[in-house]
Amino acid sequence: MMGVGSVFLSRDGFRGFQSSWRSGSCVAGVCWKMAEYLASIFGTEKDKVNCSFYFKTGACRHGDKCSRLHNKPTFSQTIALLNIYHNPQNSAQSADGLRCPMSDLEMQEHYDEFFEEVFTEMEEKYGQVEEMNVCDNLGDHLVGNVYVKFRYEEDAEKAVMDLNNRWFNGQPIHSELSPVTDFREACCRQYEMGECTRMGFCNFMHLKPISRELKRKLSLQQCKRHRSRSRSRERHSPSRDIRHGGTRGGRGREHYRRQSRYLKRYGRF
């Protein structure tokens, strides 16, 4: 009686099976290598399908007319507030059309006030902010963009949904989830070294820094705010069993000490 596998018992049949198996594994190997290659070039200049500028900066000067795809994320830690910061140095003009001069100190005070207002609003309403950056570019696709990276994706999603129904400085806010997660890749390295020849029309981010005083102030406020939230959560949660090494509040203090050191050393805001 011939079984299902008996067709492969003859020598020729076994060789045919072996040959087909080898060719199948070869095709699978080629497909795997191709998938690895496509993943390695995704979002780079070698990628002929996806826009590398949108992937890195969350913006593209060609907009919807770009020949490559702009893959808008469905979830992200980062949100973009589009064209929300207006640099008075670029818009302030007198009646005769001449620019109104502003001192460097006045410019920094104006910017610090804007940054503190937005940062505080994001933290208090939506959740912990890991990083916030403001573009000082002049190109339409980047001018005045503010990027806020939250600790949790849920907070970013909540912020986008709410902010699109709000106004700022007499104008409606346009916010969206952004693919940017590593701002080192989005920033212009030449600008940071003072060597960018494209000035404000560069396609990479020119990030505007805040003063040291404001950086210190926001860092302290953030640590206090998080410490307060931690204590509030502990009040509403059962204390951990001491037999398991748990003491109320012990981890929280050490966590915020480490966070404070991190912010002072690496914080961009």
Side-chain angles (χ1 to χ4, degrees):
M1 186 173 179
M2 188 178 288
V4 175
S6 60
V7 290
F8 297 112
L9 291 178
S10 67
R11 184 178 297 175
D12 293 338
F14 180 74
R15 284 174 180 168
F17 168 77
Q18 195 176 33
S19 174
S20 64
W21 180 84
R22 283 176 179 169
S23 63
S25 63
C26 181
V27 171
V30 170
C31 291
W32 177 258
K33 287 183 179 179
M34 179 61 73
E36 280 188 329
Y37 173 72
L38 292 175
S40 68
I41 67 170
F42 180 78
T44 67
E45 287 76 7
K46 293 181 180 179
D47 190 346
K48 302 301 181 184
V49 177
N50 303 288
C51 179
S52 61
F53 277 107
Y54 182 79
F55 180 72
K56 290 179 180 178
T57 66
C60 173
R61 65 189 178 94
H62 299 293
D64 296 334
K65 297 180 181 179
C66 183
S67 60
R68 301 183 184 183
L69 296 178
H70 293 175
N71 292 302
K72 294 184 180 293
T74 54
F75 54 87
S76 175
Q77 291 175 259
T78 308
I79 69 170
L81 309 179
L82 307 179
N83 312 121
I84 194 174
Y85 172 65
H86 298 284
N87 191 330
Q89 210 167 28
N90 300 331
S91 56
Q93 293 184 342
S94 59
D96 55 2
L98 298 176
R99 288 183 181 273
C100 297
M102 291 186 69
S103 67
D104 292 340
L105 179 60
E106 290 174 330
M107 279 293 303
Q108 191 63 55
E109 288 177 348
H110 176 274
Y111 175 63
D112 282 354
E113 183 180 345
F114 165 83
F115 193 101
E116 182 177 7
E117 181 179 359
V118 175
F119 183 90
T120 304
E121 183 75 5
M122 297 298 108
E123 275 261 330
E124 291 183 349
K125 271 192 171 291
Y126 306 116
Q128 183 179 347
V129 174
E130 286 191 349
E131 195 170 352
M132 176 171 146
N133 294 300
V134 180
C135 289
D136 201 24
N137 301 63
L138 295 175
D140 292 340
H141 61 298
L142 285 174
V143 61
N145 286 2
V146 176
Y147 294 86
V148 184
K149 183 179 178 182
F150 290 92
R151 183 175 183 181
Y152 301 109
E153 293 173 351
E154 295 82 0
D155 294 337
E157 183 179 7
K158 178 176 64 176
V160 167
M161 292 178 64
D162 185 57
L163 288 168
N164 279 322
N165 296 315
R166 297 181 61 184
W167 291 59
F168 181 82
N169 199 24
Q171 294 182 343
I173 297 174
H174 299 287
S175 66
E176 62 183 29
L177 292 175
S178 173
V180 182
T181 54
D182 186 354
F183 287 93
R184 292 171 298 181
E185 291 293 322
C187 295
C188 175
R189 293 180 177 85
Q190 285 76 20
Y191 173 75
E192 293 176 347
M193 295 185 292
E195 300 174 358
C196 183
T197 57
R198 301 198 65 183
M199 306 300 286
F201 294 97
C202 181
N203 287 321
F204 287 96
M205 293 183 187
H206 289 188
L207 301 183
K208 192 171 178 64
I210 60 174
S211 63
R212 291 182 179 180
E213 292 76 13
L214 181 58
K215 182 187 293 187
R216 191 180 303 112
K217 177 182 178 182
L218 293 179
S219 179
L220 291 173
Q221 287 181 353
Q222 191 178 48
C223 288
K224 290 178 181 178
R225 193 177 296 117
H226 297 164
R227 193 179 298 119
S228 175
R229 288 174 181 170
S230 177
R231 288 173 179 170
S232 177
R233 284 195 298 267
E234 288 174 356
R235 290 193 196 100
H236 295 87
S237 64
S239 60
R240 291 177 291 173
D241 194 335
I242 296 178
R243 290 176 297 176
H244 295 155
T247 56
R248 184 184 294 268
R251 178 188 175 279
R253 287 191 293 272
E254 180 59 27
H255 172 70
Y256 288 113
R257 285 196 203 99
R258 290 198 301 269
Q259 186 181 57
S260 178
R261 287 197 297 269
Y262 176 86
L263 288 172
K264 289 177 182 176
R265 185 174 180 184
Y266 300 108
R268 191 180 289 275
F269 50 82

